[in-house]
Amino acid sequence: MDCWWAVSYNDGSSSYDLSGRGDNSATSLSLYGTWQGEKGHYLDLLLKESSIRNDYTVYNDFGHKLKGNYKTWGTSLSAEYGRNIQSANGIYFDPSIMLTLGRIQGSDYSAASDFLDSKGSAKDMAVSQDGFNSAIGRISIGIGQKTKTRTLFSLNWLWHMNLPVTLQLIMQLTGNQQEIRKLNLVTRGVKCNWVAV
């Protein structure tokens, strides 16, 4: 088995329905391994560990601002198995299956709010964000033909994504018990299939 590693950096931005924006980034270390058998069989493995950062400013229905930033960790493991099958006239088939499992850790932190208490002082908010898991499966078949003058190739994919996500975002004001207010709980799950040719 051949192995190698890579370091990557991703940077992006987010927008929110009630105004606001976020800047997010991830720095990742990836470890790769690949094995090739004598009869066209192959196995590819990928392990990735990422440091994830999010810096955001959001507003609620009443125009109150919340500004926060947090760091967390994400891990994914991917395995792909396939085989290159040679046929007559240079035609070949390359069926494969792949499974990717991932998890992003939760994070507890304080965010700055412009909400004022009875004394006119701004109160920070305690934010608790649950982690979540993901699973993505793929079945594909490549079909091609090699001749002396050209190579034709077509790759067809069927994907299934299952995110049994419980994104529980609970925010409450810190301070006296009488001033604690809980905001909405957000829970979402994502399941979908798609085909690529």
Side-chain angles (χ1 to χ4, degrees), residues 29-76:
L29 173 64
S30 301
L31 302 177
Y32 298 86
T34 184
W35 168 83
Q36 290 186 335
E38 296 180 355
K39 297 183 179 180
H41 299 273
Y42 65 88
L43 175 66
D44 293 333
L45 300 174
L46 169 60
L47 175 64
K48 180 184 289 188
E49 185 75 14
S50 302
S51 173
I52 302 168
R53 182 177 181 274
N54 190 19
D55 188 346
Y56 64 88
T57 301
V58 294
Y59 298 85
N60 66 10
D61 294 337
F62 304 102
H64 287 294
K65 180 174 70 174
L66 182 69
K67 183 176 177 62
N69 62 79
Y70 67 91
K71 294 180 180 180
T72 189
W73 291 91
T75 304
S76 67

Side-chain angles (χ1 to χ4, degrees), residues 83-167:
R83 183 182 180 187
N84 184 271
I85 304 171
Q86 300 291 330
S87 185
N89 300 319
I91 297 175
Y92 63 92
F93 301 91
D94 191 1
S96 66
I97 57 173
M98 186 188 75
L99 177 65
T100 300
L101 302 176
R103 176 167 177 80
I104 294 181
Q105 303 293 334
S107 182
D108 297 325
Y109 59 96
S110 294
S113 170
D114 65 355
F115 187 87
L116 303 179
D117 61 14
S118 58
K119 298 179 181 179
S121 300
K123 288 290 185 180
D124 286 348
M125 301 185 77
V127 181
S128 178
Q129 181 168 318
D130 281 2
F132 64 91
N133 303 315
S134 65
I136 300 175
R138 189 196 75 195
I139 300 175
S140 66
I141 181 168
I143 303 173
Q145 182 181 30
K146 291 182 180 180
T147 66
K148 294 181 179 180
T149 58
R150 65 181 180 178
T151 298
L152 302 175
F153 183 74
S154 173
L155 182 60
N156 307 282
W157 291 334
L158 173 62
W159 295 80
H160 175 72
M161 181 172 64
N162 182 19
L163 300 179
V165 180
T166 304
L167 290 177

